[in-house]
Amino acid sequence: MVQEVYADGARLTELSALVDNGQFGLRLAGRLPLAEVAVAHERLAAGGVRGRLVLVP
């Protein structure tokens, strides 16, 4: 499968507003401190993670 991505700041702003207004949901599997990046990798490698893992500084 080929996927092309184009930078589109206006569209990103629009999508961000939808998320902020609760009109577009994101599935979040968890938030981890950046220092625990290895834990995030282990969870992903183990499988079964539904949603995104967010690393925060």
Side-chain angles (χ1 to χ4, degrees), residues 5-57:
V5 177
Y6 300 97
D8 188 344
R11 183 68 176 141
L12 181 58
T13 299
E14 181 182 340
L15 290 172
S16 294
L18 291 174
V19 171
D20 290 342
N21 293 329
Q23 296 172 313
F24 186 81
L26 300 174
R27 182 175 284 180
L28 183 62
R31 294 169 53 110
L32 297 166
L34 190 56
E36 294 184 22
V37 68
V39 173
H41 280 279
E42 290 169 3
R43 285 183 59 186
L44 292 171
V49 175
R50 297 193 63 180
R52 303 286 187 232
L53 293 174
V54 176
L55 299 172
V56 292

